[in-house]
Amino acid sequence: MHIRVINPNTTQAMTDTIGEAARAVASPGTRITACQPDSGPVSIESHFDEAVSVMGVIEEVLAGEREGTDAYIIACFGDPGIYAARELTRAPVIGIAEAAFHMASLISTRFSIVTTLPRTMIIAEHLLESYGFSHNCRRIRAADIPVLDLEDNPDRALELIIEECLRAKREDNIGAIVLGCGGMADLTPTISEAVGLPVVEGVTAAIKLAEAVVGLGLGTSKFGDLAFPRPKPFIGRFESYSNLKLE
Amino acid sequence: MHIRVINPNTTQAMTDTIGEAARAVASPGTRITACQPDSGPVSIESHFDEAVSVMGVIEEVLAGEREGTDAYIIACFGDPGIYAARELTRAPVIGIAEAAFHMASLISTRFSIVTTLPRTMIIAEHLLESYGFSHNCRRIRAADIPVLDLEDNPDRALELIIEECLRAKREDNIGAIVLGCGGMADLTPTISEAVGLPVVEGVTAAIKLAEAVVGLGLGTSKFGDLAFPRPKPFIGRFESYSNLKLE
Amino acid sequence: MHIRVINPNTTQAMTDTIGEAARAVASPGTRITACQPDSGPVSIESHFDEAVSVMGVIEEVLAGEREGTDAYIIACFGDPGIYAARELTRAPVIGIAEAAFHMASLISTRFSIVTTLPRTMIIAEHLLESYGFSHNCRRIRAADIPVLDLEDNPDRALELIIEECLRAKREDNIGAIVLGCGGMADLTPTISEAVGLPVVEGVTAAIKLAEAVVGLGLGTSKFGDLAFPRPKPFIGRFESYSNLKLE
Amino acid sequence: MHIRVINPNTTQAMTDTIGEAARAVASPGTRITACQPDSGPVSIESHFDEAVSVMGVIEEVLAGEREGTDAYIIACFGDPGIYAARELTRAPVIGIAEAAFHMASLISTRFSIVTTLPRTMIIAEHLLESYGFSHNCRRIRAADIPVLDLEDNPDRALELIIEECLRAKREDNIGAIVLGCGGMADLTPTISEAVGLPVVEGVTAAIKLAEAVVGLGLGTSKFGDLAFPRPKPFIGRFESYSNLKLE
Amino acid sequence: MHIRVINPNTTQAMTDTIGEAARAVASPGTRITACQPDSGPVSIESHFDEAVSVMGVIEEVLAGEREGTDAYIIACFGDPGIYAARELTRAPVIGIAEAAFHMASLISTRFSIVTTLPRTMIIAEHLLESYGFSHNCRRIRAADIPVLDLEDNPDRALELIIEECLRAKREDNIGAIVLGCGGMADLTPTISEAVGLPVVEGVTAAIKLAEAVVGLGLGTSKFGDLAFPRPKPFIGRFESYSNLKLE
Amino acid sequence: MHIRVINPNTTQAMTDTIGEAARAVASPGTRITACQPDSGPVSIESHFDEAVSVMGVIEEVLAGEREGTDAYIIACFGDPGIYAARELTRAPVIGIAEAAFHMASLISTRFSIVTTLPRTMIIAEHLLESYGFSHNCRRIRAADIPVLDLEDNPDRALELIIEECLRAKREDNIGAIVLGCGGMADLTPTISEAVGLPVVEGVTAAIKLAEAVVGLGLGTSKFGDLAFPRPKPFIGRFESYSNLKLE
């Protein structure tokens, strides 16, 4: 099984972190390709960053389709471009936010999310509402660190995340914590040990969910809402998307 | 007041239709610029088309900011890129789907939506849920016509839309109909007369809402969730977005 | 365009305040008539006050219909009698609470409401639920001032409102504030400046929404739920409502 | 125990019907006063009719307070004026719609409502949403009969109601039917026998709920949202409400 | 009328408390049988305890059916086995949690729940969601006392409950308190007096609701979802349930 | 990895079917034990059957704990006893209904459920609501076959299920079908091929989810709501549960 893990931002160190975390949980027969777009923001901390990153997600799915890919992971906690990506392939496409929500709801009745910057909280909140997990989440919290501090200033970032997780444990009446950023993928064991609660991280959760879907012989439904896009002309910079041959 | 009406697809005829419909309802002091991206799909009928079109929306908002713009309209019924666009400006940004939902809920207790292709119904359904209008909408219906048939085969398209609206009137226990595609902007009076129900169309609704917001001295809040994006490097094709100077 | 702004209470000073605020935002072609019932409570601070005020709203709509009116505003934050009023006219009828909710949701992702007395909070809460804006509102707050203090003790009232707004800004993770009382209509600029957040006020919001609806050629749907009431006998003090000739 | 059953319309025959139905289920120690306002509409079939009827409800509660009353029933299926009425008394105030919803949810998982005119369906729908019973109700149906036909043309009315109930039984996957009009209070046994489903009727349900609340020594909470209204001046026709002495 | 009040745990003292509380509010013609299973947990403080207690509830309903019973109360705040019990009888079956929620929503707009151990809060929260009362409940609180302390250490337990109720009164913006444990059935008057808010207790509420349902000639619907179970073989310890003769 | 698949009913043939289906999708390192209680109903088609089956689920989890088990599956579409089971172990416990809902929501936007008897539809409906998947499910359908017909009359059962699935495909605007009974576990490939839609079956879905959770090093959170039950006396037939030593 070949899973393509797409880091939607363009920071190689984060792609490496994500890839290692993915490989650490992958089953023996699973091959992981961690990739990142050649164009886009170095980190995703706003709706604007996210919107641009969707183009990279699309490019990476199309590249994956050319190579043959069994499943895709979108490794940014806003699940950017998830429905667009699903339209482009028969393979399953799993977002790390949804993956974390699904997993956390299987092992606890209620969880809290700990993310990076406060302004990304609204993205998680909208996803909870749209996926139907609002009632499972007690509170969304931000450790107030820029995403790239996870790479550039990892000790301080880790400390702040653990502090926020401990506040969640004390105050939120929860059974688990969801880490709200792909860049935290390697920190799960350390945080879990420090906090004393199950900690669900999206990249690793998504790998196992992707293996699960593929293991069932399932993939994105091509009947109805997520069927391949109708071929049509695109112009200008996006001309290469004209009359895409998918299937 | 200068309103920039962004047709997120790249079909000039549709931009013209939208622009004319916008001008027809604009107040005397309102200047309308109807524009379209130089790159992107000729019509938007899938999540994929929509995702690509967001790049055009962003380009047009950035262009509008350079010129000085008082309000933006995103003239596609999926409101593509609305939160990203809002982050880029202090001006209000109004989507035509949300505009139509707001207006329809002011003149009726319940409405139905009539859109083009069945596969776009899920986009409208997700928007209703995310905006909080699910309980106002009885049913989403599709006339089963490709978007560009509105330009290429207008008589047949009009006929099919009216038939679907009449079914909605008979079966759905509603007080109003929402037209679910920017390309229908010029058809409102004809449909309304043929159907005998108030018909709410998003482009025209959005113009009036934009005038309303600007008239109140309000604009997109720059405090919190929709603040300007943090400046940062973008690489590759999107390098021009690096360290954007907004404000 | 002639908009009748109905202050449902019977305090002339408040009607004047509301009228001035309305005129301050009205478009050049809009004529504002601010009126109040000849009978009813001097302020509306309970469900009981509100229920009685509905009779005044009805009287003023019927008076407006005799004169010819293009739109009605119900200028009390509980939107008293809004569905009854809508049944009586083809013109749009806009409540100031709903108007503020619609506007605030266009410029921010989340807002808080600051109202007068704590006991009116439940009225706002019920409206949020019934209109579908619960998820847009983080918190309803009361400055704990009687409504008429807005007229009788304006400096103190303003101070308390600003304090509560600042608490909302600090604690609620919001992008905008909604003022929860028609009597605050003139305070918007002062509060907005003092608080440093967009402040949405219902009377002014409703004027612009009314202009928007009328500008679209729309009005209350007379098909279905909001059709004119069936003519019928009324007895006693309400005999004059017998067999109302509307249309 | 003295229960005041308020028919909010002014048709004596309906008040009699309601009173008889109430007495038929009242416990031995319960005294029923069935009353109607001296002013108002002869039937309630619109939001307008309902709004006017609220004044009668208020009058009858104030009259009840002067006499000493242990509980009030508002015997119209829109529960008009229920929160206003609750503010005026320490006694419980029960609406017949809410009473029917509570009872039906205790004996079945899902029910349908059968009401009179189609245009009153929206009133029931709003109540279901506001009370939290939407998920218990499969469908709201109208037999398409004016309210007063229940008195004037009772055989035909009964026939139409039974037909609609039988359709509900066949099509709606329900366990019970709720009758959606106070004027049907005497028809319950006949309908129930004809339909072969439990039939819940609001007047009788409300009597038993009122006895239940009083039997527990409970009444409307006077702490917080439903406290007595603040005394204040009313002017004009409503001057008598000035500085009400309640408690 | 004969009401069988089933204490699902096996502590006789608690059954006695519950029975006395039930008798204290029962109408003259109502006979109360308070019973408990011969097998099961001495208290119910977890989903596991609750699941085992359901077998006792079933036994007691079957015993009641043999004797002839007009209504059943399930006197544990998780309403264990309520749908199973309803399937076994034509009589109404009322849970004390639902009973308390129904009653509290009739006398207040919003309430808080005060229960025993924090871990039982999730059970109440799930019930609020499933019954549709989430919006009526501001907060679920635990006094942090084991259930049996209500019998073994009653003074201390009472003190802690009152303290928590007073915190709810101060902080939660509520009109009533719901006691979240059957073992508190005798404490209602004391707590109510100490707290100065209406206090709704489930056992007593359920008795009055049961009387109400029976008084209306209603019982569990045997059409559809809650029809008698299909007779079938059971094996092993549960063989006696094979081919149950109900009706 | 050792997964214990618990068929909560007592029909060996169904346990065998379930076990085979589980093994067919299990990963190489996964050992499946399919088991059934020694006591209980031969099939689960009502809340009563389900309630009794919970005792078997508990027994099988306790047996599993003695043996050492990495994950549990509850192989009945009502997920009977899921929270109780989770309290008894650190291992994950997955219900087949929730598993199917999670998986179906990853590969489609909307699905329909096809179950056996109409009366079990309410169980699925309650689960959708409680898990937060209501908006993902368009319709619950029953093929109107008793559960054991899946074993006794398999060809006819299969035919009826396929017919109902085809109706769902035609009428429900869905992308996938969820099979609503553990006894259908072996039919998935046949149905999927006949229907031409992705078909999600719960037993197989649960196996892969269990592998996923275990593969992440996660298990049921023992902090808060799902902690081990407090040890305490049980009496009578359930005395063996007294002071359970878990951990």
Side-chain angles (χ1 to χ4, degrees):
Chain A
M1 187 185 315
H2 178 201
I3 301 179
R4 192 174 185 94
V5 182
I6 303 168
N7 172 20
N9 76 31
T10 54
T11 294
Q12 183 68 49
M14 196 168 291
T15 305
D16 295 344
T17 297
I18 287 168
E20 278 167 51
R23 279 177 207 104
V25 300
S27 293
T30 300
R31 182 160 60 90
I32 301 292
T33 299
C35 61
Q36 69 189 52
D38 62 8
S39 300
V42 296
S43 63
I44 300 175
E45 298 167 321
S46 66
H47 297 91
F48 170 66
D49 296 344
E50 197 178 79
V52 179
S53 79
V54 170
M55 298 313 297
V57 170
I58 287 171
E59 285 296 326
E60 293 300 324
V61 172
L62 292 175
E65 289 298 283
R66 288 188 295 268
E67 290 179 20
T69 305
D70 296 298
Y72 297 89
I73 309 299
I74 302 179
C76 168
F77 204 78
D79 296 355
I82 193 154
Y83 293 114
R86 282 177 177 159
E87 286 180 342
L88 298 175
T89 177
R90 292 186 182 282
V93 181
I94 314 286
I96 67 170
E98 66 172 354
F101 300 157
H102 284 282
M103 284 297 169
S105 74
L106 291 174
I107 61 164
S108 68
T109 58
R110 298 292 187 256
F111 57 80
S112 284
I113 300 172
V114 175
T115 183
T116 51
L117 288 179
R119 66 179 295 162
T120 66
M121 291 162 55
I122 189 65
I123 296 176
E125 190 171 358
H126 280 160
L127 289 178
L128 288 167
E129 289 171 0
S130 114
Y131 293 150
F133 289 103
S134 291
H135 67 303
N136 291 103
C137 181
R138 288 273 184 224
R139 187 162 166 184
I140 306 173
R141 291 166 169 273
D144 209 357
I145 44 174
V147 168
L148 291 187
D149 275 20
L150 292 165
E151 302 299 335
D152 301 341
N153 200 348
D155 292 348
R156 178 64 182 144
L158 181 59
E159 191 182 337
L160 288 170
I161 294 165
I162 289 173
E163 278 172 21
E164 195 66 33
C165 289
L166 287 169
R167 271 191 290 274
K169 185 184 181 186
R170 276 196 310 273
E171 300 172 7
D172 295 358
N173 189 22
I174 53 172
I177 282 174
V178 165
L179 295 182
C181 178
M184 301 178 184
D186 55 335
L187 307 179
T188 325
T190 312
I191 297 172
S192 182
E193 191 173 2
V195 176
L197 274 190
V199 171
V200 181
E201 188 280 321
V203 174
T204 47
I207 292 292
K208 303 313 283 184
L209 276 183
E211 289 179 348
V213 175
V214 174
L216 292 168
L218 293 171
T220 301
S221 175
K222 294 287 104 182
F223 185 82
D225 295 344
L226 298 172
F228 291 113
R230 301 178 76 223
K232 69 179 51 168
F234 282 66
I235 68 169
R237 274 168 303 148
F238 300 117
E239 198 180 356
S240 65
Y241 296 150
S242 292
N243 301 308
L244 276 182
K245 295 278 179 299
L246 300 159
E247 300 284 324
Chain B
M1 188 185 314
H2 179 201
I3 300 180
R4 192 172 184 94
V5 182
I6 303 169
N7 171 19
N9 76 30
T10 53
T11 295
Q12 182 68 48
M14 196 169 290
T15 305
D16 294 345
T17 298
I18 287 169
E20 278 167 51
R23 278 178 207 104
V25 300
S27 292
T30 301
R31 182 160 59 92
I32 302 291
T33 299
C35 61
Q36 69 189 50
D38 62 8
S39 300
V42 297
S43 64
I44 300 176
E45 299 167 323
S46 66
H47 297 91
F48 170 65
D49 295 345
E50 197 179 79
V52 179
S53 80
V54 170
M55 297 312 300
V57 170
I58 288 171
E59 285 297 324
E60 292 301 324
V61 172
L62 291 176
E65 288 298 285
R66 286 188 296 269
E67 290 180 22
T69 305
D70 296 299
Y72 298 89
I73 309 298
I74 301 179
C76 168
F77 204 78
D79 296 355
I82 192 156
Y83 294 115
R86 283 178 176 158
E87 286 180 342
L88 298 175
T89 177
R90 292 185 181 282
V93 181
I94 313 288
I96 67 170
E98 64 173 354
F101 300 158
H102 285 282
M103 284 296 169
S105 73
L106 291 174
I107 61 164
S108 68
T109 59
R110 300 291 187 255
F111 57 81
S112 284
I113 299 171
V114 175
T115 182
T116 52
L117 288 178
R119 67 178 296 163
T120 66
M121 289 162 56
I122 188 66
I123 295 177
E125 190 172 358
H126 280 162
L127 289 179
L128 287 167
E129 290 171 1
S130 110
Y131 294 151
F133 289 103
S134 290
H135 66 304
N136 291 102
C137 180
R138 289 272 183 223
R139 188 161 166 184
I140 305 173
R141 291 165 169 274
D144 209 355
I145 45 173
V147 167
L148 291 186
D149 275 20
L150 292 165
E151 303 299 334
D152 301 341
N153 199 350
D155 293 348
R156 179 65 183 141
L158 180 60
E159 192 183 337
L160 289 169
I161 294 166
I162 288 174
E163 279 172 19
E164 196 66 34
C165 290
L166 287 169
R167 273 192 288 275
K169 183 185 182 186
R170 277 196 310 273
E171 300 172 5
D172 296 357
N173 189 21
I174 52 172
I177 281 175
V178 164
L179 296 182
C181 179
M184 300 177 183
D186 55 335
L187 308 177
T188 324
T190 314
I191 298 172
S192 183
E193 192 173 2
V195 177
L197 274 190
V199 171
V200 182
E201 187 280 323
V203 174
T204 45
I207 293 292
K208 302 314 282 183
L209 277 183
E211 290 179 347
V213 175
V214 174
L216 292 168
L218 293 171
T220 301
S221 174
K222 294 287 104 183
F223 185 82
D225 294 345
L226 298 172
F228 291 113
R230 298 178 78 224
K232 68 179 53 170
F234 282 67
I235 68 171
R237 275 167 302 146
F238 301 116
E239 200 181 354
S240 65
Y241 296 151
S242 293
N243 300 310
L244 276 182
K245 294 278 178 298
L246 300 159
E247 300 284 325
Chain C
M1 187 184 317
H2 179 200
I3 301 178
R4 192 173 184 94
V5 182
I6 303 169
N7 170 19
N9 77 30
T10 54
T11 295
Q12 183 69 46
M14 196 168 292
T15 305
D16 294 344
T17 298
I18 288 168
E20 277 168 52
R23 277 177 209 105
V25 300
S27 293
T30 301
R31 183 160 58 92
I32 301 291
T33 299
C35 61
Q36 69 189 50
D38 63 7
S39 300
V42 295
S43 63
I44 300 176
E45 299 166 322
S46 67
H47 297 90
F48 170 65
D49 294 345
E50 197 178 79
V52 178
S53 79
V54 170
M55 298 313 297
V57 170
I58 288 170
E59 286 296 326
E60 293 301 323
V61 172
L62 292 175
E65 290 298 285
R66 286 188 297 268
E67 289 180 21
T69 305
D70 296 298
Y72 297 89
I73 309 297
I74 302 179
C76 168
F77 204 78
D79 296 354
I82 192 155
Y83 294 114
R86 282 178 176 158
E87 287 180 342
L88 298 175
T89 177
R90 292 184 182 282
V93 181
I94 314 287
I96 66 170
E98 65 172 355
F101 300 158
H102 284 281
M103 284 296 169
S105 73
L106 291 175
I107 60 164
S108 68
T109 58
R110 300 292 187 255
F111 57 79
S112 284
I113 300 172
V114 175
T115 183
T116 52
L117 288 178
R119 68 179 294 165
T120 66
M121 289 162 56
I122 189 66
I123 295 176
E125 191 171 358
H126 280 161
L127 289 179
L128 287 167
E129 289 171 0
S130 114
Y131 294 150
F133 289 102
S134 291
H135 66 304
N136 292 104
C137 181
R138 288 273 184 223
R139 188 161 165 184
I140 306 173
R141 292 166 168 273
D144 209 356
I145 44 174
V147 168
L148 291 187
D149 275 20
L150 292 166
E151 303 299 335
D152 300 343
N153 199 351
D155 292 348
R156 178 68 182 141
L158 180 60
E159 191 182 339
L160 289 169
I161 294 166
I162 288 174
E163 279 172 19
E164 197 65 34
C165 289
L166 287 169
R167 270 192 290 274
K169 184 185 180 185
R170 275 196 310 273
E171 300 171 7
D172 295 358
N173 189 22
I174 53 172
I177 281 175
V178 165
L179 297 182
C181 179
M184 299 177 186
D186 54 337
L187 308 178
T188 324
T190 313
I191 297 172
S192 182
E193 191 174 3
V195 176
L197 274 190
V199 170
V200 181
E201 188 280 323
V203 174
T204 47
I207 292 293
K208 301 314 282 184
L209 277 182
E211 289 179 347
V213 176
V214 174
L216 292 168
L218 294 170
T220 301
S221 174
K222 294 287 105 183
F223 185 82
D225 295 344
L226 299 172
F228 291 112
R230 301 178 76 225
K232 67 178 54 171
F234 282 67
I235 68 170
R237 274 167 302 146
F238 300 116
E239 199 181 357
S240 65
Y241 297 149
S242 293
N243 300 310
L244 276 182
K245 295 279 179 298
L246 300 159
E247 301 284 325
Chain D
M1 189 185 315
H2 178 201
I3 300 180
R4 192 172 184 94
V5 182
I6 303 168
N7 171 19
N9 76 30
T10 54
T11 294
Q12 183 69 47
M14 196 169 291
T15 305
D16 294 346
T17 298
I18 287 168
E20 278 168 51
R23 277 177 208 104
V25 300
S27 293
T30 299
R31 182 160 60 92
I32 301 290
T33 299
C35 61
Q36 69 190 52
D38 62 8
S39 300
V42 295
S43 63
I44 299 175
E45 298 167 323
S46 66
H47 297 92
F48 170 66
D49 294 347
E50 198 178 79
V52 179
S53 79
V54 170
M55 298 312 299
V57 170
I58 287 171
E59 286 296 324
E60 293 301 324
V61 172
L62 291 175
E65 289 298 284
R66 288 187 296 269
E67 288 180 21
T69 305
D70 296 298
Y72 297 89
I73 309 298
I74 301 179
C76 169
F77 203 77
D79 296 354
I82 193 156
Y83 294 114
R86 281 178 177 158
E87 286 181 343
L88 298 175
T89 176
R90 292 184 181 283
V93 181
I94 314 286
I96 67 170
E98 66 173 352
F101 300 157
H102 285 282
M103 284 296 169
S105 73
L106 291 174
I107 61 165
S108 68
T109 59
R110 299 292 186 254
F111 56 80
S112 284
I113 300 172
V114 175
T115 183
T116 52
L117 288 178
R119 66 179 297 164
T120 66
M121 289 163 56
I122 189 67
I123 296 176
E125 190 171 358
H126 280 161
L127 290 178
L128 288 167
E129 290 172 359
S130 111
Y131 294 150
F133 288 102
S134 291
H135 66 303
N136 292 103
C137 180
R138 289 272 184 224
R139 188 162 165 184
I140 307 173
R141 291 165 169 274
D144 209 356
I145 44 174
V147 169
L148 290 186
D149 274 21
L150 291 166
E151 303 299 334
D152 301 341
N153 199 350
D155 292 350
R156 179 64 182 143
L158 180 60
E159 191 182 336
L160 288 169
I161 294 167
I162 288 174
E163 278 172 19
E164 195 66 33
C165 289
L166 287 169
R167 270 192 290 274
K169 184 185 181 187
R170 277 195 311 273
E171 301 171 6
D172 295 358
N173 189 22
I174 53 171
I177 282 173
V178 164
L179 296 182
C181 179
M184 300 178 184
D186 56 335
L187 308 177
T188 324
T190 314
I191 297 172
S192 182
E193 192 174 2
V195 177
L197 274 191
V199 170
V200 181
E201 188 280 321
V203 174
T204 47
I207 293 293
K208 301 314 283 183
L209 277 183
E211 289 180 349
V213 175
V214 174
L216 293 168
L218 293 171
T220 302
S221 174
K222 294 286 107 183
F223 185 83
D225 295 344
L226 299 171
F228 291 113
R230 300 177 77 224
K232 67 178 54 169
F234 282 66
I235 68 170
R237 275 167 302 145
F238 301 117
E239 199 182 355
S240 65
Y241 296 151
S242 293
N243 300 310
L244 275 182
K245 294 278 178 300
L246 300 159
E247 302 282 324
Chain E
M1 188 185 315
H2 178 199
I3 301 179
R4 192 173 184 93
V5 182
I6 303 169
N7 171 19
N9 77 31
T10 54
T11 294
Q12 184 67 49
M14 195 168 293
T15 306
D16 294 346
T17 298
I18 287 168
E20 278 167 52
R23 278 177 207 103
V25 300
S27 292
T30 300
R31 182 160 59 92
I32 302 291
T33 299
C35 62
Q36 69 190 52
D38 62 7
S39 300
V42 296
S43 64
I44 300 176
E45 298 166 323
S46 66
H47 297 92
F48 170 66
D49 295 345
E50 197 178 80
V52 179
S53 79
V54 170
M55 298 313 298
V57 169
I58 287 170
E59 285 297 325
E60 292 301 322
V61 172
L62 292 175
E65 289 298 285
R66 288 188 296 269
E67 289 180 21
T69 305
D70 296 298
Y72 298 89
I73 309 298
I74 302 179
C76 168
F77 204 79
D79 296 355
I82 193 156
Y83 294 114
R86 282 177 177 160
E87 286 181 343
L88 298 174
T89 177
R90 291 185 182 284
V93 181
I94 314 286
I96 67 170
E98 64 173 355
F101 300 157
H102 285 281
M103 284 297 170
S105 73
L106 292 174
I107 61 164
S108 69
T109 58
R110 299 292 186 255
F111 57 80
S112 284
I113 300 172
V114 175
T115 183
T116 51
L117 288 179
R119 68 178 295 164
T120 65
M121 289 162 57
I122 189 66
I123 296 176
E125 190 172 358
H126 279 161
L127 290 179
L128 288 167
E129 289 172 0
S130 114
Y131 293 150
F133 289 103
S134 291
H135 66 305
N136 293 102
C137 181
R138 289 270 184 224
R139 188 162 166 184
I140 306 173
R141 292 166 169 275
D144 209 355
I145 46 175
V147 168
L148 291 187
D149 275 21
L150 292 166
E151 302 300 335
D152 301 343
N153 200 350
D155 293 348
R156 179 64 183 143
L158 181 60
E159 191 183 338
L160 288 169
I161 294 165
I162 289 174
E163 278 171 20
E164 195 66 33
C165 290
L166 287 169
R167 270 191 290 274
K169 184 185 181 186
R170 275 196 310 272
E171 300 171 6
D172 295 358
N173 189 20
I174 53 172
I177 281 173
V178 164
L179 296 182
C181 178
M184 300 178 185
D186 55 336
L187 307 178
T188 324
T190 313
I191 296 172
S192 182
E193 191 173 3
V195 177
L197 274 191
V199 170
V200 181
E201 188 280 321
V203 174
T204 46
I207 292 294
K208 301 315 283 183
L209 277 184
E211 290 179 348
V213 176
V214 174
L216 292 168
L218 293 170
T220 301
S221 174
K222 294 287 106 181
F223 184 84
D225 295 343
L226 299 172
F228 291 114
R230 301 178 77 225
K232 67 178 54 167
F234 283 66
I235 69 170
R237 274 167 302 144
F238 301 116
E239 200 182 356
S240 65
Y241 297 150
S242 292
N243 300 310
L244 276 182
K245 295 279 180 298
L246 300 159
E247 302 283 325
Chain F
M1 188 185 315
H2 180 201
I3 301 180
R4 193 173 184 95
V5 182
I6 303 169
N7 171 19
N9 77 31
T10 54
T11 294
Q12 183 68 48
M14 195 167 292
T15 305
D16 295 346
T17 298
I18 287 168
E20 279 168 50
R23 277 177 209 104
V25 300
S27 293
T30 300
R31 183 160 59 92
I32 302 290
T33 299
C35 62
Q36 69 189 51
D38 63 7
S39 300
V42 297
S43 64
I44 300 175
E45 299 167 322
S46 66
H47 297 92
F48 170 66
D49 295 346
E50 197 178 79
V52 179
S53 80
V54 171
M55 298 312 298
V57 170
I58 287 170
E59 284 297 325
E60 292 301 325
V61 172
L62 291 175
E65 289 297 285
R66 287 188 297 269
E67 289 181 21
T69 305
D70 296 299
Y72 297 89
I73 309 297
I74 302 179
C76 169
F77 204 78
D79 297 352
I82 193 157
Y83 294 114
R86 283 179 175 157
E87 286 180 342
L88 298 174
T89 177
R90 292 184 181 282
V93 181
I94 314 286
I96 67 170
E98 64 172 354
F101 300 157
H102 285 282
M103 283 297 169
S105 72
L106 292 174
I107 61 164
S108 68
T109 58
R110 300 291 188 256
F111 57 79
S112 284
I113 300 172
V114 175
T115 183
T116 52
L117 288 178
R119 68 178 295 163
T120 66
M121 288 162 57
I122 188 66
I123 296 176
E125 191 171 358
H126 280 160
L127 289 179
L128 287 168
E129 290 172 359
S130 112
Y131 294 150
F133 289 102
S134 291
H135 65 304
N136 292 102
C137 181
R138 289 270 185 226
R139 188 162 165 184
I140 306 173
R141 292 165 169 274
D144 209 355
I145 46 174
V147 169
L148 290 186
D149 275 20
L150 291 166
E151 302 299 334
D152 300 343
N153 200 350
D155 293 348
R156 178 66 182 139
L158 181 61
E159 190 182 338
L160 289 169
I161 294 166
I162 288 173
E163 279 172 19
E164 196 66 33
C165 290
L166 287 169
R167 271 192 288 274
K169 184 185 181 187
R170 274 196 311 274
E171 300 171 7
D172 295 358
N173 189 21
I174 52 172
I177 281 174
V178 164
L179 297 182
C181 177
M184 300 177 183
D186 56 336
L187 308 177
T188 324
T190 314
I191 297 172
S192 181
E193 191 173 4
V195 177
L197 273 190
V199 171
V200 181
E201 188 279 323
V203 174
T204 47
I207 292 294
K208 302 313 282 183
L209 277 184
E211 290 179 347
V213 176
V214 173
L216 292 168
L218 293 171
T220 301
S221 174
K222 293 287 106 182
F223 184 82
D225 295 344
L226 299 172
F228 292 112
R230 300 178 77 224
K232 67 177 54 167
F234 283 67
I235 69 170
R237 276 167 301 145
F238 301 116
E239 198 181 356
S240 66
Y241 296 149
S242 293
N243 300 310
L244 276 182
K245 293 281 178 298
L246 300 159
E247 304 281 325

